[in-house]
Amino acid sequence: MMEDNSIAAMQGPSKGQIAKATAVAAVVAVVIFFTVVLPAEYGKDPLHTGAALGLMNLSKSSAATTSSPVTVDATPAAPVLEAGAAGEAPVIKGTFVAQPNGYKTDSRELKLGPGEGMEIKYHMQKGAGMVYSWAANKKVQYEFHGEPDIKPAGAAEDYFESYEKDDTVGEAQAHGTFTAPSTGIQGWFWDNESAGPVTIKLVTAGFYDYILQNKDDVKTRLQPTDPK
């Protein structure tokens, strides 16, 4: 009897056991596919498990990476960390866009009478950056926009692209960083709809070629003035 039991113990699983294990594995694979693979890889979430597990953003990041390749003169991609060689610091790529020339600084004071408007724009190459601050002594309506040098096919001569706009309540200041989405003139239009004069102080620093002022439909090319 002991010999028979030893032989039985050494025998492999039966066909029934193999079939049962295969069925269980298939069920597990199907569950993983619907709960993890579909949300993470394809952005589909029929069981709502992808949202619960935070997997939906993975599909969005993958799609953005494959459908929007970064060119050398466009906004840099999100920083990517690469391990350094043994004993060396890690390398982070996608943090800057090199420019052929040094940056410029500009500081100016703009005065607008009641009902007056004015544009100050900077000619920038695609991918060039600029930091800015402007402040007024009272709220003004404004629009931050750009005019590409090369307009889309069929676009009107006065075609422009709007980045930020407040033509109702207005603002008394704005600060930020800007990366030019296209080669062209980029800047602001301010409109004084108050009953009194307005003074706007504008300071910028960035990679621009020249400055264009437009007041009363008179365009004037300006040189940067360093802050005092």
Side-chain angles (χ1 to χ4, degrees):
M1 292 295 294
M2 292 181 60
E3 184 178 354
D4 292 343
N5 289 339
S6 298
I7 294 173
M10 290 187 294
Q11 290 179 344
S14 66
K15 291 182 179 180
Q17 290 173 321
I18 293 175
K20 182 177 180 180
T22 302
V24 170
V27 170
V28 171
V30 170
V31 171
I32 292 175
F33 179 78
F34 279 96
T35 59
V36 177
V37 177
L38 272 180
E41 295 293 332
Y42 303 100
K44 297 180 179 180
D45 195 16
L47 302 179
H48 306 291
T49 55
L53 297 174
L55 300 175
M56 299 302 292
N57 289 333
L58 295 178
S59 66
K60 294 176 183 177
S61 332
S62 175
T65 302
T66 55
S67 63
S68 303
V70 176
T71 56
V72 294
D73 60 348
T75 305
V80 176
L81 177 67
E82 294 184 0
E88 296 185 1
V91 177
I92 302 181
K93 295 186 176 181
T95 59
F96 71 94
V97 174
Q99 300 294 329
N101 300 305
Y103 71 90
K104 297 179 174 69
T105 58
D106 181 56
S107 176
R108 58 190 60 251
E109 192 171 271
L110 315 173
K111 295 185 180 297
L112 299 177
E116 281 190 331
M118 178 188 293
E119 283 184 312
I120 293 290
K121 295 180 181 176
Y122 299 82
H123 189 271
M124 303 173 65
Q125 301 298 314
K126 180 179 179 180
M130 178 173 68
V131 295
Y132 65 88
S133 286
W134 64 261
N137 62 338
K138 63 177 68 174
K139 288 186 177 181
V140 290
Q141 297 178 11
Y142 74 97
E143 182 172 31
F144 187 21
H145 61 283
E147 299 178 33
D149 287 350
I150 301 178
K151 298 175 174 55
E157 183 64 27
D158 59 354
Y159 171 87
F160 67 93
E161 297 167 343
S162 183
Y163 309 137
E164 184 182 25
K165 184 176 182 178
D166 190 334
D167 57 0
T168 53
V169 178
E171 294 288 344
Q173 60 181 328
H175 319 279
T177 60
F178 171 73
T179 302
S182 61
T183 297
I185 53 175
Q186 324 282 350
W188 298 266
F189 169 75
W190 294 278
D191 185 22
N192 177 18
E193 292 297 320
S194 72
V198 169
T199 299
I200 303 171
K201 293 182 179 180
L202 170 66
V203 178
T204 66
F207 297 95
Y208 39 79
D209 306 315
Y210 61 85
I211 305 168
L212 188 67
Q213 173 184 288
N214 185 0
K215 187 175 183 180
D216 299 327
D217 291 327
V218 177
K219 296 182 179 180
T220 308
R221 190 159 166 163
L222 308 173
Q223 292 299 319
T225 303
D226 288 342
K228 298 295 187 291

